[in-house]
Amino acid sequence: MRYLRLAIVIKVFVAALLLAACGGNQSAVSPAGVQSGHLDHLWWIFFYVTAAVYVIVMAVLAVAFFRRRRASNDTPPDQKQPARDAGPENVVKAGVALTTVIVVALLLVSFRTGKAINQLSDVPPQLVIKVTGHQWWWEIEYQDETYPTLNMMTANEIHVPVGTPVKLQLQSNDVIHSLWMPNMHGKKDLIPIYPTTFYFQADTPGTYWGQCAEFCGYQHAKMRFQVVAESADDFNRWIEGGRKTPPPPTDAETIRGRDIFTTSVCAQCHTIQGTGTGGRVGPNLTHVGSRPFIAGATLENTPENMAKWITDPHQYKPGIRMPMNQYSDEDLAALVKYLQSLK
Ligand code: CUA
């Protein structure tokens, strides 16, 4: 019995250590932004307080469990005996008082953290990004309020300059999704018909994983995205590049690839700026060649993967809306070459 309890204590401790150690590029306790910094602080306060409570409770329980009952067995336990009962009664009273104090203290700390997190909503955001949840990918739109022609669209990647307050306008196209980029902030639900806003600021340059955190159907687990926090210069370069219409293809194979794109089913759902296509069902592919991942950021963007994805996307994400496509080997190669050229 004693060893069993010890084993449980150790397991809990190791699990907590693992949780804390899984830093990497997707972790709520490895903050890279202002909001996640506050949340990380709160998380550790809760961890230490609850760990201390756990250890104390277990210690008291162990003492009560193993202590030999004192000699006075002459009074049955269900009969009052003030001298004997005074000790335990005081322990219970102290426990209740301490619990109340701890719960109220944690409540106040949480409240303070919530306030600190929301402070950004008071300053005018320097960057507004519209994020739309789809089954099962993220549509990202950089809006320019003065010049709508400067709007820029991409998918499954959010680039932000470090040290800049960013406002996300969140909306869902179908069911409830939840945006979660643990290194930056907590979760925020995207509810259909009810657009909402979300503020965050990245501190540390880097690439961080994010994902949908609300079960939204069959491929919920494959609804990921990346947050790229970079210097203002890098960000400006990236967004300027993204606004540009890719130059028209010049060699015969790439031209053939473009023509296949614009005249086949691709164009019904996808848009490539400058080709006259305007599908909004699937991701905007204007600069798809520059994205590190495809398929809701779950498949590395290589020519081989893209060819397999176009031919049979359901082998990777069963249930998605994109159909299977049967092209000849030459046509498929040309199409992939064209798409990869869209940097
Ligand atoms: Cu979208 Cu889960």
Side-chain angles (χ1 to χ4, degrees), residues 168-237:
L168 298 186
Q169 290 179 329
L170 304 178
Q171 59 176 44
S172 169
N173 188 51
D174 32 51
V175 299
I176 301 176
H177 302 277
S178 181
L179 184 99
W180 192 30
M181 31 189 188
N183 300 76
M184 296 294 161
H185 206 319
K187 299 167 187 169
K188 184 82 173 186
D189 279 3
L190 288 72
I191 316 267
I193 314 175
Y194 294 97
T196 177
T197 50
F198 194 56
Y199 296 82
F200 78 102
Q201 178 177 325
D203 277 342
T204 316
T207 302
Y208 308 95
W209 280 105
Q211 64 189 60
C212 182
E214 174 74 42
F215 182 72
C216 55
Y218 197 10
Q219 294 301 331
H220 154 70
K222 291 192 173 171
M223 185 170 170
R224 310 183 71 199
F225 63 98
Q226 284 192 316
V227 182
V228 180
E230 55 199 354
S231 69
D233 284 348
D234 286 346
F235 172 76
N236 288 332
R237 216 170 295 133

Side-chain angles (χ1 to χ4, degrees), residues 220-274:
H220 154 70
K222 291 192 173 171
M223 185 170 170
R224 310 183 71 199
F225 63 98
Q226 284 192 316
V227 182
V228 180
E230 55 199 354
S231 69
D233 284 348
D234 286 346
F235 172 76
N236 288 332
R237 216 170 295 133
W238 177 80
I239 198 154
E240 284 309 321
R243 282 170 180 156
K244 286 197 185 107
T245 301
T250 46
D251 70 288
E253 194 185 12
T254 320
I255 290 172
R256 182 175 172 183
R258 181 199 57 193
D259 293 345
I260 292 166
F261 181 87
T262 52
T263 55
S264 70
V265 290
C266 308
Q268 289 175 12
C269 298
H270 295 283
T271 295
I272 292 176
Q273 207 171 301

